[in-house]
Each structure stands twice: as C-alpha cells, then as structure tokens.
Amino acid sequence: MMKRVSALLAILFTAFAIGTAAQADTNDNLGFMEWDAVAAEEAVRNGERVVINTWATWCPFCKAQRRALSSLLKSDPETYGDVKVFAVDIDEPDTPSRIGSSSVSKTTLIFFVGGREIEAYKGQDTAEMAALLTAGL
C-alpha cells in the first residue's frame, strides 16, 4: 500500500513540476507582450527601448534566452522598467519573415534603442543584454 501511495505521489509531483516549468515560460510570466507589429513599430518609432524576441516553444535554447532576458529586466525595474519585449513565436502562421535587418527563421533577440536597431543578439549573457539596452543612451 505504501509503495502505491509513494508511486502516486511521485507521479503527481512530476506532473506538477512539468506543468510549472511550462507555465514559467509564458509571455505573461516573463513580462513579455504577444507579437503586435503595429505596437512594436510605433514603440521603435517613438524611440522606446524595444526587444523583439523570436523563439519557438520546442527550443530549449530559446527558453533559456527568454528566462535570461526576463531575469535581467526584473532585476532592476528602475533601469529596465520601460523596456518593451514583443515575443514572436516563429511557428505561428502569421509570423513575419523579417524584423529589422534580421530573418525571423532563427531565434534571437533584436534590440532597438532610440529608434534604431542596435543588434540581433543570439546569446544568453545578461551583461551583454544590459549593454545592448543601454547602447546610445
């Protein structure tokens, strides 16, 4: 009887952990906005700090990159509270083929500061992301 209870608890904890990990990567939990081309273009045109996050749900690197960016932004709300992150799931049918100078077929973070594209960044280093977000300020 104890083995059955233990096995059942193990299954429940595993299911909870999988569900929690999946929920952690949602745009809402990360503080990202769903892709809106008009809003993103307007924010860039207004000189706001914008990051376009192109990603895929099946990509572990993408998820790690998203968590790193979210962690950076949440680490210092005074410095990064105005940054707008628009997430583009590259597997969605209405995904644009290009954003700025970058092809959307590859996962990346595209940084815009002061109305201009700074870089299409493919890494996960939060110090490098911070430098890109303050470029030209």
Side-chain angles (χ1 to χ4, degrees), residues 65-82:
Q65 185 182 52
R66 287 164 56 85
R67 286 190 295 269
L69 176 60
S70 179
S71 175
L72 170 66
L73 298 178
K74 291 176 181 177
S75 73
D76 188 352
E78 189 172 314
T79 301
Y80 303 114
D82 65 326

Side-chain angles (χ1 to χ4, degrees), residues 28-133:
D28 284 341
N29 285 346
L30 294 172
F32 298 172
M33 295 180 272
E34 296 294 329
W35 175 242
D36 180 336
V38 173
E41 184 178 329
E42 183 177 326
V44 169
R45 191 174 44 248
N46 289 337
E48 297 177 56
R49 294 190 292 177
V50 174
V51 179
I52 309 296
N53 168 226
T54 61
W55 72 293
T57 57
W58 47 264
C59 173
F61 177 84
C62 304
K63 291 178 182 182
Q65 185 182 52
R66 287 164 56 85
R67 286 190 295 269
L69 176 60
S70 179
S71 175
L72 170 66
L73 298 178
K74 291 176 181 177
S75 73
D76 188 352
E78 189 172 314
T79 301
Y80 303 114
D82 65 326
V83 174
K84 292 184 176 176
V85 180
F86 293 92
V88 180
D89 183 340
I90 63 174
D91 291 330
E92 291 295 318
D94 61 346
T95 300
S97 60
R98 298 191 70 73
I99 295 176
S101 64
S102 298
S103 169
V104 177
S105 64
K106 299 192 175 169
T107 60
T108 193
L109 301 172
I110 307 164
F111 288 81
F112 294 86
V113 177
R116 65 186 181 93
E117 183 176 345
I118 301 298
E119 184 173 332
Y121 179 70
K122 299 186 184 325
Q124 297 178 20
D125 186 300
T126 55
E128 291 175 353
M129 291 179 197
L132 292 169
L133 285 169

